Amino acid sequence: TEFALLSQGEDGEFGAREYPSTLQRGEPRSFSVRVGNHEGKRVSYTVVLLLRELGPENSTVVATSKLDRFRKTVEDNETWRLDHSVVPDRAGENLQLQYLLYKGETPERPSLEGAYRELHLWVDVTE
């Protein structure tokens, strides 16, 4: 399964470039996630979007917010492109915007340990 995070550049196009390092709390920012199914069969995917605050040296999770969840069944050799807005609900430095990809059922408490694939972006979120 292909899993990619795309950012909207100044030209309005999405690509794996020009990722923002700063977001503003409560303000939407456009992103796109691409999920390519190469599993040899139809698969139901779920993408969970989290904003995580980590402790010193990124050793522990201090706080997590579930910002969104998206679900779609994708045929073999098809690609799902999910354009969406991220709206951070907290301010802070060095926060992790994390995308978790699941096949089939999604756990009640999504985490990196149970995810099929993971993407993340380090951002500062201002007030």
Side-chain angles (χ1 to χ4, degrees):
T1 297
E2 171 192 353
F3 190 39
L5 176 62
L6 310 173
S7 178
Q8 190 173 27
E10 290 183 19
D11 60 1
E13 297 295 317
F14 285 95
R17 64 193 193 314
E18 300 179 34
Y19 293 105
S21 59
T22 304
L23 302 176
Q24 188 171 353
R25 181 176 181 229
E27 294 293 320
R29 178 69 186 243
S30 294
F31 287 92
S32 186
V33 170
R34 187 174 58 223
V35 179
N37 178 3
H38 304 291
E39 300 287 333
K41 62 183 177 183
R42 169 191 225 182
V43 178
S44 292
Y45 292 104
T46 302
V47 175
V48 177
L49 174 57
L50 304 174
L51 183 62
R52 300 182 346 142
E53 181 179 347
L54 302 175
E57 299 181 26
N58 302 328
S59 58
T60 58
V61 177
V62 174
T64 301
S65 299
K66 186 168 25 170
L67 299 180
D68 224 328
R69 177 186 297 242
F70 310 96
R71 184 171 176 87
K72 184 168 177 80
T73 299
V74 181
E75 298 296 328
D76 184 39
N77 290 320
E78 295 290 323
T79 298
W80 170 32
R81 182 172 150 181
L82 170 64
D83 296 338
H84 63 287
S85 291
V86 171
V87 183
D89 64 348
R90 76 166 46 107
E93 292 183 357
N94 206 29
L95 300 179
Q96 188 182 67
L97 188 60
Q98 184 179 54
Y99 289 81
L100 301 175
L101 179 68
Y102 293 89
K103 291 191 324 184
E105 294 299 315
T106 306
E108 184 72 28
R109 299 187 69 159
S111 69
L112 178 60
E113 291 74 31
Y116 182 55
R117 299 275 190 271
E118 182 265 354
L119 299 168
H120 64 268
L121 182 64
W122 292 101
V123 295
D124 292 336
V125 179
T126 60
E127 283 293 342

